[in-house]
Amino acid sequence: MLNRRQLLGAGAAGATLVSSKVWGQTLNMGLPEAAQMNSAATAITPRPSSGPDYNPVVTLNGWTLPYRMNNGVKEFHLVAEPVERELADGMTAYLWGYNGQSTGPTIEAVEGDRVRIYVTNKLPEGTTVHWHGLILPSGMDGVSGLSHPSIPPGKTFIYEFDLIKSGTFMYHPHGDEMTQMAMGMMGMFVVHPKDPDFMRVDRDFLIMLNAYDIDPGTYVPRIMTMTDFNMWTWNSRIFPDIDPLVVNKGDKVRVRVGNLTMTNHPIHMHGYDFKVTCTDGGWVPEAAQWPEVSIDIPVGAMRAYDFVADHPGDWAIHCHKSHHTMNAMGHDVPTFIGVNKKPLAQKIRQFQPEYMPMGTSGMGDMAKMEMPLPDNTIPMMTGWGPYGPIEMGGMFSVVKVREGIDADDYSDPGWYDNPPGEMAYEWTGKLPEFASNNNPKTILTTHKTLKG
């Protein structure tokens, strides 16, 4: 889970990035350069050196698209194209995305900005970009055949509009969505408040929920799948290769989560309660913010929540649908809990000595064994912590709260060392008596009156 810190515009490894200064030299040269990213590392965007101040978001295992200024307009260049995305070490998917990545780069701007977004189509079919949640002219809304003609292969269209409100939004095609979104075409669009003190936080993380159905040993998602996905991802990454959320103790932290999968996701964070502060419809007034420890993200929606990082430790953050924290699930695998497979295993080992019977006492042993796997796939449960296998996959990461983390440092601090007396331990002494019940009827607890 190493967080390989990179700076956009500073020659990061695996990426071809163009800084705003260099782009500024091409103001009158037509189409802006198209920045590319080929690394799956989390890229850290420098704070703005001019214009309204804001704290850039940190897209887990993603990056922010650079822009150039042209007569007061912020110009971006999105390229829709086939991409190769490393979902995890040892597994690559052939997807469709933007600027070398799926999910696409995050677009960041400020309330009141006018933006001009060039969209070049390098796909084999027409596409559009819908700016999900943004208020803009009808002809810029990106619905193929309704808002404007589809962008043909090899052509470039321009979207131009004013950002009249701040918040967290998304972008994705609105033409042949079944194919293009199933292939990974989506990204996030963050509009920071014009007032730098409004809803400001110290750390601001961004997660896009997306999912794929990719058979073990293959590379291309099955686009006809409606429910039986086997790769539940954050920003097209799966645990254990989703970077951690690293924060300094005392930081005010925001986590923004968008959902463009085919189902809802209850995102649960351990160790904290938090307040829901924003939806893709706008900011939640302080008096209306509500406390949670899990927030359900509907399909096609975004939710953001804030908390103060006052509890040091390594805290899990994950989707609470249990199958969404596993990888490469076999939907046709039968349940063998309680089945004696020893006689069968002995016979199979006569022909396949490496055969390992699994599932008779649960599936946790899958996280411990290194079974032979087809090429280009990953175990159902994987990842190791300081005390053994974590037995997770898919939509799972760790919030790492530490003291002494610098403001712009997001590098992995390693595993948390629990202080003495603050970790569960084995008991070897005499056990107290315990109650047991096998009656399904409701049992009322007798009220006991305290005597003075």
Side-chain angles (χ1 to χ4, degrees), residues 8 23 34-35 63-67 76-78 99 105-108 117:
L8 291 180
W23 279 28
W63 59 299
T64 291
L65 187 66
Y67 63 87
F76 301 84
H77 189 178
L78 275 178
N99 299 65
T106 300
I107 298 175
E108 286 188 82
I117 305 171

Side-chain angles (χ1 to χ4, degrees), residues 274-277 279 284-292 294-295 303:
F274 50 76
K275 287 188 176 180
V276 179
T277 56
T279 75
V284 179
E286 185 174 0
Q289 295 171 9
W290 70 97
E292 293 280 9
S294 298
I295 177 65
R303 298 289 183 268

Side-chain angles (χ1 to χ4, degrees), residues 11-57:
T16 304
L17 299 166
V18 185
S19 70
S20 296
K21 180 178 179 181
V22 174
W23 279 28
Q25 299 171 0
T26 66
L27 289 180
N28 299 310
M29 297 177 63
L31 189 68
E33 297 281 348
Q36 292 282 315
M37 174 67 83
N38 298 312
S39 168
T42 299
I44 310 304
T45 307
R47 296 170 187 262
S49 57
S50 61
D53 181 41
Y54 62 86
N55 188 18
V57 297

